[in-house]
Structure formats: C-alpha cells, structure tokens
C-alpha cells in the first residue's frame, strides 16, 4: 500500500500554553513513533498551505476573518474557554487544510492508496460559523467538500471515532444526503451533541458509548450499527476523523479502548473501502491527549493503513 503521511513544522507553531492538553508535544510523540524502521515505506509528504477558497467550502468568510483578527501578535489569546490562538495559529491552521486537500488530490488521482494527516489544530468541533473545542477550521469537512467539488464524487462517508462528538462535522452535512457522517463518542460528554435521535436526512449515525465502555462494546456497536451503514452507503471515498482519546489512558475521557481496538476498526474500514472505493481512505488526526497512548495508537492505525487487509 502507498500510504502518504502528512506532517509539517508549522503544526508546532500553534502554541496553546502550559498545561493545555492540545499541545505541540502530541505531534512530536507521533513523529518519534513513526520514525521506527517498520515505517520506512511510509511516504512522507510536506503539505502546501491551504487557501481561504478551500476553507470557504465549509466556513463563510466572516468566520475566517474572525479567526484571523483574533490571532494575537504575541502570547496566547483564548478564543473561548478551550480554544487558544497564538501568533503561529494561522500557519498551522492553513497548513492543516492544505494537508487534507492535498491528500484528496493524491488519493483520488491514484498517487496514494490512502493517507494519514498528522495535523493540528484539530477540526471536528468547528461548526461552519463557530470555532470551539480546540478547533478553528473543520479539516475533514473541508476535505469532503473539496473532493465533491473537484472530483464530482457522489457519496462520501466520514467516520469519527474520537471520544467527543464531532458536532461541527454533523452541522456541516446535517441536511446533505450525499455525505454520511457516523460517530462513536462518550455520552454524556463534551460537547453535548450526538444523540441517536440526531439523524439529519438519514445520513447521520450517532452511536453513543457509555462511560467505562471497553473495546467489547465499541466493537459490538461498530459491527451492528456503523459498519453495516458504511457498507450500505457504498462511499466513493472514506474519510476518518481519527481521534485517539477513547484510549483507556486518556485524561479527557472515560472509555477504555486499547491499541488493538484502533487496529481492528481501521482494518474494518479498509475492508469496506476495498469493496466500494478502491481502498481510498484519508485519515486526519483529531484528539488524543496522553502522549504515550496517542503515539502507540497512531502507530497501529498507520501501520494498518500501510498493509492491505486479508
């Protein structure tokens, strides 16, 4: 498998301050794990800067302007109680958009089979007109609309296994039947959305996990609800909001997944993608705040992407 790995020093420039869980050390830990010899065949990519035109595929210009105007010249500025801006946030956020859009180009033109984008800031909480939950622009939602606009794809599936519900992605596609959004997430938990009754036009699938659930419940719910929906939808492209904060050691949640669970779900996604869209998968980093657990979980996720199922 030709797996592209997107990373860039600009992602480290988004400085969130001492003690903030969404910190640059997250990417440093991932980079160290993926430097192991077993990742020698990973094709490392330096992403271009994204553009305002790409961001406007999801967010109005007023949202972009509000973010850019709030970026401080020095130090940190709290956009809300969780979401921090620093002088380097613009470069990081635009580079993240550039990474996911370039991944779409590479995967849909056959230069890559799949891709993992180690980006920050994350994106899935960013609603079209509201930054929140550490997120400024919704990277994975932008990638979906970029693929629809530039490659005329009829059906795109986004699956989100971050422990927090991707309210921003849901809001972006709530009434769009050509995009399936499926999420597993701890409930009740931030941001409070993601009830099973939130179904859009039949294209939204919310699968809450209860506090303390382990890989047993996680796998059962995927096998009975999310995976059949993906198979039935038959997407032309599968996008993953890859948050690893459902790990048992993560400080921000109470789900008890281990690395094998992330490997299993990645394998299942690959099998479905192989059957309906030539294996085309693009995964973008969302959460994951225990550095050791994050690095180990990303490593098994990427290693699985590098090896065709079967």
């Amino acid at each position: 498998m030709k797996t592209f790995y997107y990373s860039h020093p600009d992602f480290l420039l988004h400085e969130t301050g001492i003690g903030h869980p969404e910190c640059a050390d997250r990417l440093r830990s991932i980079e160290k794990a993926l430097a192991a010899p077993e990742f020698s065949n990973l094709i490392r990519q330096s992403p271009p800067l994204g553009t305002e035109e790409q961001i406007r595929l999801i967010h109005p210009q007023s949202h972009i302007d509000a973010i850019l105007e709030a970026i401080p010249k020095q130090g940190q500025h709290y956009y809300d109680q969780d979401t921090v801006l620093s002088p380097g946030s613009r470069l990081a956020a635009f580079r993240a958009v550039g990474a996911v859009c370039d991944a779409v180009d590479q995967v849909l033109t056959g230069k890559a089979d799949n891709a993992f984008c180690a980006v920050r800031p994350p994106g899935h909480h960013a609603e079209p007109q509201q930054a929140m939950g550490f997120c400024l622009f919704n990277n994975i939602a932008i990638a979906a609309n970029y693929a629809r606009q530039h490659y005329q794809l009829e059906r795109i599936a986004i699956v989100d296994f971050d422990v927090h519900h991707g309210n921003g992605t849901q809001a972006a596609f709530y009434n769009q039947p050509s995009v399936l959004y499926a999420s597993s997430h701890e409930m009740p938990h931030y941001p409070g959305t993601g009830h099973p009754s939130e179904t859009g036009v039949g294209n939204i699938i919310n699968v809450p996990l209860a506090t303390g659930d382990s890989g047993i419940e996680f796998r059962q719910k995927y096998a009975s609800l999310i995976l059949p929906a993906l198979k039935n939808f038959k997407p032309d492209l599968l996008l993953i909001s890859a948050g690893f904060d459902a790990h048992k050691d993560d400080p921000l949640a109470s789900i008890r997944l281990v690395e094998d669970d992330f490997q299993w779900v990645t394998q299942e996604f690959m099998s479905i993608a192989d059957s309906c869209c030539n294996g085309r998968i693009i995964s973008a980093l969302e959460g994951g705040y225990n550095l050791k657990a994050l690095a180990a979980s990303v490593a098994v996720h990427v290693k699985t992407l590098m090896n065709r199922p079967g």
Side-chain angles (χ1 to χ4, degrees):
M1 297 288 284
K2 290 182 294 183
T3 299
F4 279 24
Y5 167 58
Y6 286 85
S7 64
H8 198 280
D10 281 356
F11 297 137
L12 306 178
L13 300 179
H14 176 60
E15 298 176 359
T16 51
I18 296 172
H20 197 288
E22 203 296 284
C23 60
D25 282 346
R26 299 175 65 233
L27 295 195
R28 294 187 182 102
S29 69
I30 291 171
E31 196 70 41
K32 184 176 180 180
L34 298 187
E38 62 186 311
F39 297 101
S40 59
N41 291 332
L42 195 58
I43 302 170
R44 295 165 192 274
Q45 296 291 107
S46 180
L49 275 174
T51 66
E52 291 193 10
E53 180 182 11
Q54 290 168 340
I55 297 170
R56 285 196 300 270
L57 292 168
I58 291 294
H59 303 282
Q61 187 66 45
S62 58
H63 174 77
I64 300 171
D65 292 343
I67 295 295
L68 296 182
E69 289 167 7
I71 291 175
K73 288 185 166 55
Q74 60 183 16
Q76 279 90 38
H77 168 69
Y78 270 76
Y79 195 79
D80 63 20
Q81 63 181 0
D82 302 309
T83 309
V84 182
L85 295 168
S86 73
S89 296
R90 182 190 185 281
L91 275 176
F94 275 69
R95 193 75 67 180
V97 170
V100 295
C101 290
D102 194 73
V104 169
D105 288 334
Q106 302 305 320
V107 169
L108 291 182
T109 59
K111 297 183 179 70
D113 294 303
N114 56 44
F116 177 71
C117 303
V119 299
R120 58 183 295 270
H124 73 152
H125 292 310
E127 297 187 350
Q129 300 193 59
Q130 183 63 52
M132 58 183 287
F134 312 159
C135 304
L136 305 180
F137 305 130
N138 195 316
N139 305 312
I140 210 74
I142 291 167
N145 271 356
Y146 182 82
R148 296 167 79 195
Q149 182 184 82
H150 290 267
Y151 297 93
Q152 289 75 53
L153 300 190
E154 293 183 4
R155 292 179 307 282
I156 293 178
I158 302 171
V159 64
D160 186 339
F161 56 73
D162 190 282
V163 82
H164 305 95
H165 180 245
N167 57 293
T169 311
Q170 174 172 295
F173 299 113
Y174 201 71
N175 295 305
Q176 300 189 33
S178 61
V179 177
L180 178 75
Y181 176 68
S183 172
S184 61
H185 45 273
E186 184 175 352
M187 198 173 212
H189 207 31
Y190 182 90
T193 53
H195 192 274
S197 63
E198 298 163 21
T199 58
V201 286
N203 63 318
I204 305 293
I205 300 165
N206 285 309
V207 180
L209 301 170
T211 296
D213 274 357
S214 68
I216 295 171
E217 293 84 4
F218 177 82
R219 296 187 191 204
Q220 287 175 343
K221 290 183 177 183
Y222 267 82
S224 63
L225 298 169
I226 292 179
L227 298 177
L230 289 173
K231 291 175 184 175
N232 185 60
F233 188 69
K234 296 182 174 64
D236 301 314
L237 173 67
L238 178 59
L239 302 176
I240 302 173
S241 269
F244 298 93
D245 40 7
H247 193 282
K248 66 181 180 64
D249 294 333
D250 197 90
L252 297 193
S254 304
I255 302 299
R256 298 182 294 122
L257 301 190
V258 296
E259 289 87 339
D260 282 352
D261 297 313
F262 294 116
Q263 181 179 28
W264 174 82
V265 79
T266 306
Q267 192 89 44
E268 293 295 321
F269 293 156
M270 291 181 69
S271 296
I272 292 170
D274 269 357
S275 71
C276 63
C277 59
N278 298 315
R280 300 188 300 201
I281 291 175
I282 295 163
S283 175
L285 181 65
E286 299 285 0
Y289 305 103
N290 176 294
L291 299 182
K292 184 177 178 181
L294 172 65
S297 300
V298 169
V300 300
H301 178 62
V302 172
K303 188 65 177 176
T304 306
L305 289 175
M306 294 172 67
N307 293 279
R308 185 173 293 281

